[in-house]
């Protein structure tokens, strides 16, 4: 059934750490560059390129030499920008200078329509800084913190994250000058729950918003209640202030018809309504049960020319 689906349904794919191995890129340099790690990466890259990217002849790729696999394509009023957060990842960077150059050039040339950004790890999520600081003083750093270092909010990646947020806001403002209602949406996963985040820029009278949709891995089991209570105890989802002027904020939203975090395996569908809203529906593993939640959320576009 899986082979039939992959042969029948158009797909856009981007790899994350488990396509190589858990935490790839978030280990110390001396470990990351060992012969064993290098060989594993070489073969993971080979087969990802063959089966998911479908060779370097893929015209949507930003890099034509296989240095990374970021891509961009447009269709029917939508532009999809996929960020490669693994090819060049180190414990100090998420994307290389060259990928950044190509991504920013792509954003400068994306001047209309709705923008969907694929980021394997959420840009907006719970704050793990307390846990990260605690683990930084333990002797078990590489065994316990690779998942923490994988997050955009890890202290080593906060500068890149701020750069990404500000450039996406600049692009959103550029597209809002057209005569069409505009939406900017980050599509993400990795954290084994479903959830919804938003970045709000209050610098204009009519705030610019970037929404983020997170779907859990469809195969990975969701955290148990006890596990989630443990995660909640050492993290928080307070409103985050992004800039010095305190005019840009990031926060977690509550989907309609569910708790803030969806602790069921799920996938997401996006449907554009006749009202120009983008309707987000999390289809959960137990969705047919009478007691199951049915999370959804309407993303309202910012009106044209404002």
């Amino acid at each position: 059934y899986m082979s039939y689906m992959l042969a029948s349904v158009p797909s856009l794919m981007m790899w994350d750490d488990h396509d190589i191995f858990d935490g790839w890129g978030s280990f110390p340099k001396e470990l990351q560059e060992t012969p064993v790690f290098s060989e594993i990466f070489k073969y993971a890259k080979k087969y990802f390129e063959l089966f998911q990217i479908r060779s370097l002849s893929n015209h949507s790729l930003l890099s034509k030499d296989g240095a990374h696999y970021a891509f961009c394509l447009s269709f029917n009023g939508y532009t999809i920008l996929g960020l490669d957060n693994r090819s060049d990842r180190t414990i100090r960077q998420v994307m290389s200078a060259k990928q950044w150059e190509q991504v920013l050039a792509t954003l400068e040339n994306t001047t209309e329509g709705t923008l969907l950004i694929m980021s394997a790890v959420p840009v907006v999520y719970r704050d793990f800084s307390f846990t990260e600081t605690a683990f930084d003083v333990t002797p078990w750093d590489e065994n316990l913190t690779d998942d923490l270092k994988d997050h955009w909010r890890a202290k080593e990646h906060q500068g890149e994250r701020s750069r990404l947020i500000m450039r996406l806001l600049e692009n959103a403002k550029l597209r809002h000058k057209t005569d069409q209602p505009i939406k900017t949406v980050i599509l993400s996963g990795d954290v084994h729950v479903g959830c919804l985040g938003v970045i709000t820029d209050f610098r204009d009278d009519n705030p610019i918003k970037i929404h983020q949709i997170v779907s859990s891995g469809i195969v990975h089991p969701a955290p148990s209640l006890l596990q989630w209570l443990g995660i909640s105890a050492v993290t928080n989802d307070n409103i985050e202030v992004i800039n010095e002027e305190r005019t840009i904020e990031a926060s977690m939203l509550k989907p309609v018809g569910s708790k803030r975090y969806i602790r069921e395996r799920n996938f997401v569908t996006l449907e554009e309504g006749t009202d120009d809203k983008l309707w987000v529906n999390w289809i959960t593993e137990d969705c047919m049960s009478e007691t199951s939640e049915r999370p959804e959320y309407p993303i309202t576009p910012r009106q044209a020319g404002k």
Side-chain angles (χ1 to χ4, degrees):
Y1 293 109
M2 189 67 182
S3 60
Y4 179 78
M5 187 201 76
L6 291 173
S8 306
V9 180
S11 63
L12 298 172
M13 301 187 184
M14 181 54 69
W15 63 352
D16 198 27
D17 56 336
H18 288 276
D19 295 291
I20 309 163
F21 59 76
D22 187 25
W24 171 264
S26 298
F27 292 92
K29 180 179 179 180
E30 59 272 17
L31 187 58
Q32 193 82 21
E33 294 180 353
T34 59
V36 172
F37 273 45
S38 297
E39 284 295 297
I40 292 173
F41 177 74
K42 181 176 77 174
Y43 282 99
K45 186 174 187 288
K46 174 183 177 180
Y47 289 106
F48 172 71
E49 184 177 301
L50 177 63
F51 290 111
Q52 293 175 275
I53 294 299
R54 303 182 183 92
S55 88
L56 296 181
S57 298
N58 185 330
H59 295 300
S60 69
L61 293 173
L62 303 188
S63 173
K64 303 308 178 184
D65 61 3
H68 63 79
Y69 297 110
F71 63 81
C72 182
L73 63 90
S74 298
F75 69 95
N76 211 26
Y78 284 83
T79 296
I80 301 179
L81 173 61
L83 305 178
D84 182 350
N85 295 161
R86 290 297 159 182
S87 288
D88 301 314
R89 192 186 194 99
T90 71
I91 203 166
R92 295 291 178 186
Q93 74 172 26
V94 179
M95 297 189 294
S96 67
K98 187 63 177 177
Q99 185 178 169
W100 268 110
E101 178 184 330
Q102 293 166 332
V103 165
L104 296 182
T106 300
L107 289 174
E108 288 175 4
N109 291 318
T110 303
T111 58
E112 59 185 11
T114 289
L115 177 63
L116 305 178
I117 307 102
M118 293 171 60
S119 173
V121 177
V123 177
V124 182
Y125 194 57
R126 299 182 67 87
D127 181 9
F128 284 78
S129 59
F130 171 79
T131 312
E132 185 182 13
T133 300
F135 280 167
D136 276 347
V137 299
T138 73
W140 309 289
D141 180 72
E142 66 187 49
N143 291 322
L144 295 177
T145 65
D146 64 285
D147 280 346
L148 297 177
K149 303 300 184 187
D150 260 7
H151 280 269
W152 275 107
R153 292 191 72 172
K155 62 180 184 294
E156 292 87 354
H157 304 319
Q158 286 176 5
E160 270 188 280
R161 175 177 178 260
S162 295
R163 184 185 192 189
L164 178 63
I165 289 172
M166 298 308 292
R167 291 305 186 117
L168 291 178
L169 288 171
E170 287 175 14
N171 174 263
K173 192 169 185 178
L174 175 68
R175 286 180 293 113
H176 287 154
K177 293 179 180 178
T178 66
D179 60 355
Q180 298 295 321
I182 297 302
K183 298 175 283 291
T184 305
V185 182
I186 300 170
L187 306 175
S188 192
D190 185 73
V191 292
H192 310 310
V193 295
C195 57
L196 177 70
V198 65
I199 299 164
T200 308
D201 184 348
F202 294 101
R203 290 177 294 179
D204 290 339
D205 292 337
N206 185 15
I208 293 174
K209 293 180 183 263
I210 297 174
H211 289 85
Q212 176 189 266
I213 302 164
V214 175
S215 174
S216 68
I218 198 168
V219 174
H220 197 284
S224 67
L225 176 59
L226 186 60
Q227 289 171 324
W228 186 248
L229 289 174
I231 292 170
S232 301
V234 295
T235 64
N236 71 77
D237 58 6
N238 300 334
I239 294 175
E240 177 192 7
V241 177
I242 301 294
N243 64 337
E244 182 179 357
E245 294 76 21
R246 307 182 72 84
T247 52
I248 303 173
E249 296 179 350
S251 59
M252 303 304 296
L253 301 177
K254 181 179 176 293
V256 177
S258 79
K259 301 180 180 66
R260 182 170 293 186
Y261 296 96
I262 303 160
R263 287 192 307 104
E264 288 186 70
R265 287 189 288 199
N266 65 83
F267 65 92
V268 162
T269 65
L270 304 178
E271 298 181 40
E272 188 162 353
T274 55
D275 54 2
D276 289 321
K277 292 179 181 178
L278 191 65
W279 286 87
V280 185
N281 295 278
W282 285 264
I283 311 302
T284 63
E285 185 174 28
D286 198 28
C287 64
M288 300 306 293
S289 166
E290 291 184 0
T291 59
S292 176
E293 298 173 344
R294 290 172 171 77
E296 61 180 12
Y297 193 85
I299 295 178
T300 303
R302 188 176 190 263
Q303 292 305 306
K306 295 184 178 180

